[in-house]
Amino acid sequence: MVDVRRLPVGEDNEGRVTLDDLAREGARRMIAAALEAEVDDYVASLVDELGDDGKRLVVRNGRARERRVTVGSGTVPIRAPRVNDKRVDEETGERKRFSSKILPAYARRSPKVTEVLPILYLHGLSTGDFGPALRDLLGEDASGLSASSIQRLTEAWQAEHAAFRTRELRFHRYAYLFVDGVNVSVRLGEDPKLCLLVVIGVREDGEKELLAVEDGYRESEDSWAAVFRDLRDRGLNEPRLVTGDGALGAWAALRNVFPGAREQRCWVHKTANVLDALPKRLQPRAKSLLHEMAEAPSRADARKALERFRDEFDAKYPKAVAKLDKDWDALTAFYDFPAEHWRHLRTTNPIESSFATVKLRTKVTKGAGSKKAALAMAYKLLDAAQERWRRFNGHELVEDVLAGVKFKDGIKVTNDDNDDNEMTDERVAA
């Protein structure tokens, strides 16, 4: 290994160290230091474990053979420290072994590099292009990224997706669902597109969870109904509120499978649809009014913003106003739920943002793709994104929502509020 400290950095002369070289060397040193610290901590924690001869049972034991590991900055050579662990498990009788959490046995690439692969596939690369593309990014010696290894990974992801599609869902209760259909332009024989039907749920603890990644024919009612029925049959409870765009197939299917679920239209989708009905010169003003509606502190204030929009645009652009009137109840359903949840409930952002790094609607793979492979890749993309999904604000209120507690303009309705409403009704009647 060349000592980069003794070499000048520059781009004028051949043989000088590049920034990529520095990044790889820095990564190698950091990984090596982390592995050393991990082994030292492990050995130190077991220093009192002694054998019958009074000698320590857990000691360091040199280094393993060098292996090349691909990380975000490229492929680096690593010689991990080894541990000689002579302890025996009393239940199984087997020798205990040290297992590194930083660099598991046989690992050849970091999880983040593995996450890139489904993104590249959906972005337009066929499996045969993975090696050259990643070598451009990570260096000529990128480890373990041949076409055959990519094929094995694809098959493993398909098996993971198959298991994901059959798991039980009765161990959690889900207050909210986010649903969306995402068109992936992958050549699948005669069918030019794959439509992904994606469902994300919000559990009783406020955490978001990926529930479904399925293929469907143009977001049809039958396709969505099959997804919802499958989720129900695997134990999914009827959610309190479902957020999605205006695709009629999903809503018709929802009313059939979960008739008690409330409907919330996505404000981002609706804003785009309304602006499409207006000339560009008026769109900034219209967008400002639409933002006022969506962000209004109460349902009444949202209605006032709608009427201002109507006063300005209805005479010349009635179609824009009609788009709002048609779905108004569904656009304002979130007011009947905790105010802390509103920012989450108004849009299908968990799904949209997870695909934001990939222009799914415009890119096409080179050559015919496999529907199973594309589904598995999309599943892996969303599965990796789950780790970055934010927990719901006011997560402690999700239990109240599941319990059927009433909210008005985001505030919990108490018994005193109900008594006041009843007295008001009596005075009006009198």
Side-chain angles (χ1 to χ4, degrees):
M1 174 60 62
V2 177
D3 187 348
V4 298
R5 292 173 298 180
R6 298 183 179 180
L7 294 176
V9 179
E11 52 185 43
D12 296 330
N13 301 318
E14 292 185 6
R16 291 192 172 188
V17 178
T18 67
L19 287 175
D20 287 337
D21 293 331
L22 284 174
R24 282 192 288 271
E25 177 61 14
R28 186 193 68 78
R29 293 185 184 186
M30 290 177 67
I31 294 170
L35 291 172
E36 290 285 345
E38 183 184 34
V39 166
D40 286 344
D41 288 345
Y42 181 80
V43 172
S45 68
L46 299 169
V47 69
D48 295 329
E49 296 276 349
L50 304 177
D52 295 336
D53 57 1
K55 294 183 178 180
R56 290 164 55 181
L57 293 175
V58 182
V59 295
R60 293 188 56 137
N61 186 29
R63 297 180 182 279
R65 294 172 59 184
E66 182 180 285
R67 59 174 141 155
R68 305 186 72 76
V69 180
T70 299
V71 295
S73 56
T75 299
V76 296
I78 298 293
R79 290 193 66 195
R82 294 191 306 187
V83 174
N84 184 6
D85 194 337
K86 297 179 181 179
R87 295 174 303 152
V88 176
D89 190 299
E90 294 180 358
E91 294 183 1
T92 64
E94 296 179 355
R95 283 274 298 273
K96 293 186 178 181
R97 292 181 179 275
F98 166 73
S99 178
S100 172
K101 293 185 173 66
I102 298 172
L103 185 64
Y106 310 112
R108 290 293 184 271
R109 68 186 68 85
S110 74
K112 289 299 179 184
V113 171
T114 301
E115 282 182 26
V116 169
L117 304 182
I119 294 175
L120 291 177
Y121 181 89
L122 292 175
H123 199 43
L125 284 180
S126 62
T127 54
D129 295 321
F130 277 49
L134 289 170
R135 281 193 291 275
D136 287 342
L137 291 172
L138 304 174
E140 283 298 322
D141 55 353
S143 176
L145 295 169
S146 65
S148 59
S149 65
I150 297 299
Q151 181 62 35
R152 287 193 298 272
L153 274 175
T154 304
E155 292 171 356
W157 291 336
Q158 290 178 31
E160 288 180 34
H161 184 227
F164 165 81
R165 298 170 79 178
T166 58
R167 78 197 193 289
E168 291 288 330
L169 299 174
R170 62 188 78 253
F171 303 111
H172 288 286
R173 292 176 300 145
Y174 300 86
Y176 306 120
L177 297 184
F178 297 92
V179 302
D180 200 5
V182 184
N183 292 313
V184 184
S185 297
V186 179
R187 290 196 184 102
L188 303 172
E190 297 180 358
D191 189 355
K193 287 186 178 182
L194 172 68
C195 182
L196 301 173
L197 305 185
V198 180
V199 181
I200 293 173
V202 180
R203 304 185 315 220
E204 67 274 3
D205 59 0
E207 295 287 353
K208 303 185 187 83
E209 180 184 340
L210 181 63
L211 298 179
V213 183
E214 298 290 342
D215 62 308
Y217 181 72
R218 297 184 181 181
E219 300 188 60
S220 69
E221 179 180 348
D222 288 344
S223 297
W224 273 114
V227 172
F228 289 141
R229 280 196 298 267
D230 178 64
L231 293 174
R232 180 195 62 192
D233 294 345
R234 288 192 279 127
L236 181 72
N237 61 285
E238 184 169 71
R240 297 296 184 182
L241 183 72
V242 179
T243 298
D245 67 10
L248 297 179
W251 300 116
L254 182 71
R255 293 168 200 140
N256 180 39
V257 181
F258 294 121
R262 297 280 302 278
E263 300 174 14
Q264 171 64 47
R265 295 295 186 274
C266 172
W267 270 97
V268 171
H269 285 88
K270 179 57 69 175
T271 296
N273 290 337
V274 171
L275 294 180
D276 281 344
L278 295 169
K280 287 188 176 181
R281 62 184 176 81
L282 298 177
Q283 289 183 7
R285 170 58 180 164
K287 190 173 183 179
S288 176
L289 286 172
L290 289 166
H291 182 75
E292 285 184 33
M293 294 177 213
E295 299 287 341
S298 70
R299 185 179 269 110
D301 290 320
R303 169 63 71 174
K304 291 176 183 177
L306 171 64
E307 294 309 316
R308 288 196 293 274
F309 187 94
R310 190 188 312 279
D311 291 342
E312 292 193 31
F313 299 112
D314 193 39
K316 291 186 176 180
Y317 308 101
K319 288 184 178 180
V321 179
K323 290 175 182 286
L324 290 168
D325 288 336
K326 178 173 70 74
D327 291 325
W328 186 250
D329 287 343
L331 283 167
T332 56
F334 68 88
Y335 284 109
D336 295 328
F337 295 86
E340 292 85 346
H341 298 173
W342 288 359
R343 64 175 297 178
H344 303 280
L345 297 176
R346 284 187 289 241
T347 76
T348 55
N349 187 59
I351 299 173
E352 296 289 334
S353 61
S354 297
F355 283 112
T357 55
V358 186
K359 296 180 179 179
L360 294 172
R361 302 173 196 275
T362 59
K363 296 294 182 181
V364 180
T365 58
K366 300 174 183 178
S370 157
K371 180 176 288 189
K372 292 180 75 174
L375 272 173
M377 294 286 186
Y379 160 69
K380 288 301 295 183
L381 182 65
L382 286 164
D383 184 49
Q386 279 191 99
E387 298 179 7
R388 298 184 290 275
W389 288 345
R390 285 187 54 193
R391 191 181 192 184
F392 252 47
N393 293 345
H395 57 84
E396 68 279 358
L397 296 171
V398 176
E399 287 278 9
D400 287 341
V401 173
L402 284 164
V405 174
K406 301 296 183 184
F407 291 81
K408 181 178 180 181
D409 288 331
I411 306 300
K412 186 185 297 186
V413 177
T414 65
N415 290 333
D416 291 340
D417 294 331
N418 288 330
D419 293 342
D420 291 341
N421 290 336
E422 290 175 3
M423 291 175 64
T424 301
D425 292 340
E426 290 175 1
R427 286 195 295 268
V428 172

